[in-house]
Amino acid sequence: MNDRNWNAQLEDLRIDGDRLRKSIEISAAIGATKGNGVQRCAVTDEDKRMRDTLAKWVRELGCELRIDEMGNMFAIRPGRNRSLGAIMAGSHLDTQRPGGRFDGILGVLGALEAMRSISDAGIELERDFILVNWTNEEGGWFAPACMGSGVWAGSISREWAYERKDRDGKTIFGRELARIGYKGDFPCDYRKWNIEAAYELHIEQGPILWNMKKQIGAPKGIVCLHWYDVYLEGTANQVGPTPMEGRNDALLAFSEMCQTVNKTAHQMGNMAATVGEIQNYPNSRNIIPSRVHFTVDIRSWDDEHALRAWSSMRREFEIIAERRGCRIRSEEFWKVGHASFDRRLVERVLESAEELGIGSHPMVSGAGHDMSEISKVTRGAMIFVPSIDGRSHVEAEKTSWDDCIQGSNVLLRCILKTSQQGP
Ligand code: GLV
Ligand code: MN
Ligand code: MN
């Protein structure tokens, strides 16, 4: 490599694999579940403990820590030329309910390890290096997902986000954020930052790399994510004396609709569609269900295709509701278009893997990520590592330590190259 900002020290720099493993293990103990996973939903006490731990770690590195109005945490390591756009790297420390030890966490702690390695080597980067922990990426307790990055990128309003209620409808997001002490003052707005490039290291959460035995994936982007709510209303009654004919059973209507969602995705292809959440009322074994609320999640690289699928499902839902004597109401809750990453940065991920002698594969992300939002307002790319047996959003989610280390080394190299040579 022939560049005045590149030398043998940068060329040979690698992360400390043992230290990375130790920090992931410390994280795994905060909200640890019996099944070897982690339950650390955003704005809970566990989230606060993990945030406090990260805050301590980045302060030990001499970083300035900024907390914005959505609780997004930005640790800034100043570069030599502060007028240049910064390099951002990170992900999220919240989990599903329950979730695994790697989803999001590897991206934040891999970036931390990259920062620690750069500091240990006494390297002054050309540009600022900003490590970020986005608030409530999962959206499993307070929907929607990608809340912190969504407000930051201007896709959803801060006030709307503050008003979201938890899945049981008991607590309010903005109040919980303040309660854990992470409702900061800094404006949650990408326009307050000068970011040249953003990287997010993440587990793949699917089976492609695992099956191909490739250590690195370089997604060209992320599928669209459409979330809908459906509300059904039938008639409650005694289960014994009420004849089987003529019932208005909302749960029975739902069960047909659930099949419709699955069948539509199969028939139309190039998409995934899932019913993941359902509330049944009054949820008693001897009362005919009178009300059901359920969610539909539709994803595809082709946004129009996903919309057509929803129209088809809705038409079918109406027919089922009519036949079952139920009223139906549906609404769009959240919609993120498919994200295309910056081609140059995606190439840099592939090229960095190759230079490190690691096998890689270009792909598309089927999971949603903060990078869906970030890449709308700045250059972005992701680095994927294999999920063992393709499993994620479960306690058994696992990635080998070697893959975590290699992914972090690719991230480190991308940060170094982008900082020293520009995007
Ligand atoms: C984010 O975790 C998603 O739902 O893909
Ligand atoms: Mn994630
Ligand atoms: Mn996730």
Side-chain angles (χ1 to χ4, degrees), residues 92 94-96 103-104 137-138 202 205 367-369 392-393 397:
H92 60 97
D94 67 312
T95 73
Q96 284 287 329
D103 176 358
E137 190 272 351
E138 296 292 1
H202 207 283
Q205 308 189 270
H369 298 287
S392 180
H393 278 189
E397 171 183 283

Side-chain angles (χ1 to χ4, degrees), residues 199-336:
Y199 291 101
E200 184 174 1
L201 167 65
H202 207 283
I203 55 170
E204 182 205 323
Q205 308 189 270
I208 296 172
L209 297 174
W210 177 251
N211 288 340
M212 291 182 79
K213 300 191 172 31
K214 295 277 188 191
Q215 267 190 307
I216 295 293
K220 67 171 182 177
I222 304 177
V223 294
C224 71
L225 250 102
H226 298 179
W227 282 9
Y228 301 96
D229 285 291
V230 184
Y231 301 89
L232 294 173
E233 208 173 323
T235 315
N237 214 339
Q238 232 286 13
V239 297
T242 312
M244 293 306 290
E245 292 307 318
R247 294 181 173 202
N248 311 131
D249 183 332
L251 189 60
L252 200 57
F254 158 74
S255 69
E256 287 185 44
M257 294 176 193
C258 188
Q259 293 290 336
T260 299
V261 171
N262 192 270
K263 261 188 265 163
T264 308
H266 276 290
Q267 279 162 4
M268 292 184 66
N270 287 327
M271 69 171 61
T274 312
V275 174
E277 194 184 323
I278 165 187
Q279 276 108 29
N280 174 51
Y281 302 95
N283 212 28
S284 160
R285 69 175 77 206
N286 51 1
I287 304 177
I288 295 171
S290 59
R291 275 190 305 128
V292 166
H293 160 236
F294 68 96
T295 61
V296 180
D297 172 310
I298 305 178
R299 305 177 184 210
S300 173
W301 182 256
D302 180 343
D303 303 48
E304 292 302 317
H305 192 54
L307 288 176
R308 282 192 294 275
W310 173 241
S311 301
S312 158
M313 287 174 200
R314 240 186 24 197
R315 274 196 305 276
E316 188 83 14
F317 289 175
E318 301 278 352
I319 295 167
I320 298 166
E322 169 87 28
R323 193 174 60 245
R324 293 281 170 203
C326 294
R327 275 198 296 278
I328 181 165
R329 179 169 65 84
S330 59
E331 51 193 46
E332 175 190 307
F333 177 70
W334 183 56
K335 202 157 88 192
V336 181

Side-chain angles (χ1 to χ4, degrees), residues 1-163:
M1 192 166 306
N2 187 15
D3 189 287
R4 69 178 175 84
N5 285 324
W6 196 260
N7 56 35
Q9 189 192 20
L10 297 176
E11 179 63 34
D12 295 341
L13 192 66
R14 299 289 182 273
I15 62 119
D16 179 338
D18 289 338
R19 187 170 52 188
L20 173 68
R21 179 177 177 160
K22 206 168 152 219
S23 45
I24 292 175
E25 284 171 347
I26 291 170
S27 151
I30 303 177
T33 62
K34 287 205 180 82
N36 242 344
V38 180
Q39 183 158 313
R40 194 166 63 213
C41 290
V43 299
T44 58
D45 292 349
E46 290 76 26
D47 184 28
K48 175 189 165 40
R49 274 171 58 209
M50 186 64 227
R51 287 164 174 272
D52 291 349
T53 305
L54 179 70
K56 176 172 153 289
W57 284 340
V58 296
R59 285 199 175 108
E60 281 165 7
L61 285 171
C63 289
E64 177 200 342
L65 179 61
R66 271 186 213 163
I67 316 286
D68 77 12
E69 296 157 320
M70 282 296 291
N72 297 318
M73 300 171 72
F74 303 89
I76 306 163
R77 183 181 191 276
R80 199 182 60 81
N81 186 346
R82 303 215 65 191
S83 65
L84 294 176
I87 314 297
M88 179 184 261
S91 188
H92 60 97
L93 291 169
D94 67 312
T95 73
Q96 284 287 329
R97 198 171 180 260
R101 290 177 288 162
F102 298 91
D103 176 358
I105 294 153
L106 175 63
V108 178
L109 300 184
L112 173 73
E113 183 47 47
M115 196 182 264
R116 283 173 165 170
S117 304
I118 292 166
S119 289
D120 284 354
I123 293 167
E124 184 179 41
L125 295 178
E126 279 296 297
R127 297 164 187 266
D128 285 9
F129 172 7
I130 303 172
L131 180 153
V132 59
N133 170 35
W134 298 105
T135 296
N136 193 27
E137 190 272 351
E138 296 292 1
W141 184 231
F142 285 96
C146 300
M147 230 194 227
S149 53
V151 173
W152 186 79
S155 302
I156 54 175
S157 87
R158 189 192 57 198
E159 293 311 315
W160 182 78
Y162 281 164
E163 286 160 17

